[in-house]
Amino acid sequence: MNSQLLSRRNAPAWQASPHVYPYVVTTDWTVEYRRLLRGHRHEPASPQAWETYRDPAAPPLSEPEVREAEADLGIRFPAEYRDYLLRVSAGHRINRLARGAEGWRWRGDRDTNYGLLTEPFPHPDSYAAYDDELDDREPSYEDAEAWRAWDDECGVLQERKTAGAVYIQENGCGFHTLLVVTGPHRGEMWFDARATCDLILPMRLHDRPVTFADWLGHSSMDLVQW
């Protein structure tokens, strides 16, 4: 069976956290990875779709619409982002928040895991050791079953690295800007640079975390400490 025994005592800190894995005793990584992938909300592609993702003409949302979106997503938006939705726009330079066939979602975003939005965003330090240990025990390709189980475990970790965060802007070359909506880092902006350096990095301005309002006046690249 494609499974691994875990316990609160000997599991990596990232897995043992009751906020991240509150129920796990035995994990079938393939089943768990497929379950997590169902948390993504996709919209049908169209030739005109890209132009609608960041819509400078997108009007603000009403208070009832914002409340409906929050109820559907199971979160409350950070204050600065919420104010932006109500007073400025539902889109403009960021992915547009809109109601679709699957509920409220950020248009153009295929990476946010909506099933994990209510879970706290984990600081990279909380899973760094587990990440290294997982790399060290990659099995041989010759053992296809073991390798698939390991690859699915890696997939679970990658999905959970951005739990509690929204992919608010696509920055090209696989880079993305994240807005944290749940947990101790709620309201902070982070940068998903895994496409090149396999890291999720905090944004900083004047030696403090960058908030949504801070970020609006800057480029994400300028706020990341590489």
Side-chain angles (χ1 to χ4, degrees):
M1 178 178 171
N2 172 17
S3 62
Q4 177 173 330
L5 184 66
L6 301 177
S7 72
R8 291 282 186 260
R9 178 172 299 176
N10 60 21
W14 177 82
Q15 287 181 324
S17 167
H19 298 295
V20 178
Y21 261 94
Y23 57 87
V24 171
V25 175
T26 301
T27 300
D28 182 321
W29 295 112
T30 298
V31 171
E32 177 66 358
Y33 186 40
R34 290 175 179 173
R35 182 187 73 83
L36 292 181
L37 289 179
R38 290 196 293 271
H40 294 276
R41 297 182 181 179
H42 302 301
E43 60 184 330
S46 70
Q48 295 78 31
W50 180 253
E51 284 73 20
T52 69
Y53 295 162
R54 299 182 201 172
D55 185 354
L61 298 178
S62 66
E63 178 66 31
E65 286 175 322
V66 170
R67 290 181 181 177
E68 180 186 322
E70 290 175 324
D72 179 46
L73 299 169
I75 58 174
R76 183 169 176 82
F77 299 130
E80 293 177 351
Y81 176 61
R82 199 176 196 278
D83 187 66
Y84 177 88
L85 293 172
L86 290 169
R87 298 176 182 273
V88 181
S89 174
H92 195 50
R93 64 172 291 196
I94 61 178
N95 291 334
R96 180 177 181 176
L97 179 64
R99 186 193 299 107
E102 296 184 69
W104 285 86
R105 66 185 307 280
W106 286 269
R107 301 188 67 178
D109 163 36
R110 300 178 62 86
D111 296 290
T112 295
N113 193 311
Y114 292 76
L116 296 176
L117 280 180
T118 61
E119 298 192 13
F121 175 77
H123 191 283
D125 289 348
S126 69
Y127 53 75
Y130 172 42
D131 210 354
D132 290 341
E133 183 266 338
L134 193 55
D135 284 342
D136 290 343
R137 61 177 166 84
E138 178 180 2
S140 168
Y141 282 113
E142 295 177 0
D143 188 343
E145 183 177 355
W147 193 90
R148 283 195 299 269
W150 173 85
D151 191 50
D152 288 334
E153 184 178 356
C154 291
V156 169
L157 173 59
Q158 294 303 322
E159 286 293 319
R160 288 193 170 274
K161 284 181 178 181
T162 55
V166 174
Y167 282 73
I168 204 75
Q169 186 185 73
E170 196 275 330
N171 300 105
C173 300
F175 294 139
H176 299 270
T177 297
L178 304 174
L179 168 64
V180 178
V181 296
T182 307
H185 300 283
R186 181 174 180 270
E188 295 178 11
M189 306 298 292
W190 286 64
F191 194 70
D192 187 346
R194 286 179 291 178
T196 56
C197 65
D198 201 30
L199 295 172
I200 295 175
L201 302 165
M203 296 188 194
R204 304 284 295 182
L205 183 66
H206 306 311
D207 295 323
R208 61 175 176 78
V210 171
T211 67
F212 181 78
D214 294 330
W215 171 77
L216 283 174
H218 297 82
S219 165
S220 293
M221 291 285 192
D222 294 337
L223 298 170
V224 175
Q225 296 182 333
W226 296 92

